[in-house]
Amino acid sequence: MHGFYNALSLDNLGRLDNSVAAVFGGSIGMWLDLVYGSGRSSVILALLAVIALDWVTGIAAAHKDRSYSTEYGIAGVFRTIFILAFPAFANVLDHALGTPGLLFYAVTFGLIYHTYISLTANAARAGWSKYIPQAVLKFVASEIKAKAERTAGRKGGA
């Protein structure tokens, strides 16, 4: 219990690193509320998580089939910026049209779903299909095929 009370002491709360973390966290939270709307941070966190998993599985798949290129990676950065900006735009439209959350949630869940399909196909391409139920693999089979075809095209058909 002594450690718990020590963590709550004013000496610890007033330390520079704690103050910087508090300002950073408050700023991020305020920014998320401003850009995406109040109370939507968990949905945005889900979107960020699925994007991160898509990046991880995409990189693993590209390393496995030796198809990674700097140009494609740079394009991925811009794609990610777009994916994160699109719900913010939908939030602005919700305010303009008086549709409280309808467009935001439709766009954001659509992006989460689409990115989930992509990350699942990437995981299969990376050789991780033994961790994915067969029904899910069948469900994303067309995406796996499309990614394989795009990869072959980037590698010059090799």
Side-chain angles (χ1 to χ4, degrees), residues 11-79:
D11 291 338
N12 282 335
L13 292 177
R15 288 184 14 208
L16 178 62
D17 58 338
N18 288 337
S19 299
V20 169
V23 168
F24 180 74
S27 299
I28 294 295
M30 181 183 69
W31 182 82
L32 285 174
D33 275 0
L34 178 68
V35 172
Y36 296 113
S38 182
R40 297 177 179 173
S41 57
S42 59
V43 176
I44 294 301
L45 183 60
L47 179 60
L48 287 169
V50 78
I51 289 170
L53 289 171
D54 190 38
W55 273 78
V56 167
T57 56
I59 290 168
H63 281 292
K64 182 171 189 231
D65 62 23
R66 302 188 191 314
S67 65
Y68 188 79
S69 71
T70 303
E71 297 82 25
Y72 193 73
I74 290 170
V77 171
F78 289 113
R79 214 172 22 255

Side-chain angles (χ1 to χ4, degrees), residues 7-8 10 14 18 20 24 50 62 71 93 116-117 132 134 138:
L8 295 179
L10 291 179
N18 288 337
V20 169
F24 180 74
V50 78
E71 297 82 25
L93 285 178
Y116 169 77
I117 298 297
I132 304 168
Q134 286 300 312
K138 286 179 185 175

Side-chain angles (χ1 to χ4, degrees), residues 108-121:
T108 306
F109 280 105
L111 290 169
I112 290 170
Y113 173 77
H114 175 76
T115 308
Y116 169 77
I117 298 297
S118 174
L119 83 87
T120 305

Side-chain angles (χ1 to χ4, degrees), residues 131-150:
Y131 303 112
I132 304 168
Q134 286 300 312
V136 175
L137 288 172
K138 286 179 185 175
F139 184 72
V140 300
S142 63
E143 181 69 10
I144 294 169
K145 181 181 176 192
K147 284 181 178 287
E149 290 170 357
R150 283 194 303 268

